[in-house]
Amino acid sequence: DADKAGFDIVANRPIFKSDIIKLFNGLFDKNIQSETHKNNKSSLTGKRILIAEDNELNREIAVELIKGITGNIDTVENGKEVLDKLAVHEDGYYDLILMDIQMPILNGYEATKQIRKADNEYYKNIPIVAMTANAFDTDVKKAFDSGMNEHLSKPLDVKKLNKVLNTYSKK
């Protein structure tokens, strides 16, 4: 019945976190392969991306989406850890930061503001992309006002993510 109705995936109950991850991975792997081949005119191979996401499942999904495009991914769970990662690596180490907004210790807006106010050209120019469920116009404006370059709504759309990654891969 599910096939006739057009569902891509069917999950049986009880469903566990590991089942959800496997289902998402299977679905995203198909989408990543087709979208990457269609849209990836510039190579993202070798690009380094830092993902700041406190929710484990969201973090795993973002990694799965991106590792099909570039395998160079680091993850952190809050904005303070973003600052710490930037501090231990040489300027230019990361090509892009995907930044959740609502994180403990230091949220995405505040982390971005601290990055942008540093007396360092790399910090002032590294692309920072909001990755959040907050999708109202005021949320998008707040992301830009804090110094972010782009805004992606969750759940992440493979086409939009690929477009953003391609935009900043050329820089």
Side-chain angles (χ1 to χ4, degrees):
D1 290 337
D3 286 337
K4 290 177 189 172
F7 289 99
D8 292 316
I9 295 175
V10 176
N12 295 315
R13 291 187 195 167
I15 190 161
F16 300 100
K17 182 178 172 182
S18 60
D19 297 325
I20 293 170
I21 292 169
K22 286 178 191 172
L23 292 171
F24 277 126
N25 288 345
L27 180 62
F28 290 134
D29 285 346
K30 290 178 203 167
N31 288 340
I32 287 169
Q33 290 169 2
S34 64
E35 290 303 320
T36 300
H37 293 301
K38 281 194 286 187
N39 298 322
N40 203 6
K41 293 176 179 65
S42 65
S43 175
L44 292 166
T45 304
K47 298 292 182 179
R48 288 192 186 103
I49 297 174
L50 178 60
I51 299 174
E53 171 62 66
D54 65 315
N55 180 284
E56 183 181 356
L57 181 59
N58 288 343
R59 189 171 53 249
E60 289 175 12
I61 290 169
V63 167
E64 286 300 318
L65 284 169
I66 295 168
K67 81 176 183 183
I69 300 168
T70 179
N72 297 319
I73 303 165
D74 287 339
T75 62
V76 295
E77 296 181 16
N78 62 65
K80 182 185 178 314
E81 290 178 0
V82 169
L83 297 173
D84 293 344
K85 281 279 191 184
L86 288 171
V88 299
H89 293 291
E90 71 277 1
D91 288 357
Y93 185 82
Y94 291 108
D95 296 292
L96 182 129
I97 300 171
L98 286 176
M99 182 87 74
D100 185 23
I101 299 301
Q102 296 180 6
M103 296 182 290
I105 302 173
L106 188 63
N107 71 42
Y109 297 130
E110 293 306 315
T112 300
K113 287 176 186 176
Q114 287 188 32
I115 292 167
R116 296 301 189 217
K117 75 179 182 182
D119 190 24
N120 177 313
E121 286 304 308
Y122 169 62
Y123 281 36
K124 290 178 181 178
N125 295 305
I126 184 172
I128 302 175
V129 178
M131 182 177 65
T132 178
N134 302 341
F136 292 112
D137 290 341
T138 53
D139 299 312
V140 175
K141 182 180 181 333
K142 193 170 179 180
F144 287 122
D145 289 347
S146 73
M148 295 181 178
N149 301 83
E150 299 280 345
H151 182 280
L152 291 173
S153 299
K154 293 180 197 170
L156 292 175
D157 177 288
V158 176
K159 289 180 183 178
K160 288 180 184 176
L161 175 62
N162 200 19
K163 181 179 176 186
V164 167
L165 292 175
N166 274 313
T167 297
Y168 291 101
S169 73
K170 298 170 186 170
K171 295 184 177 186

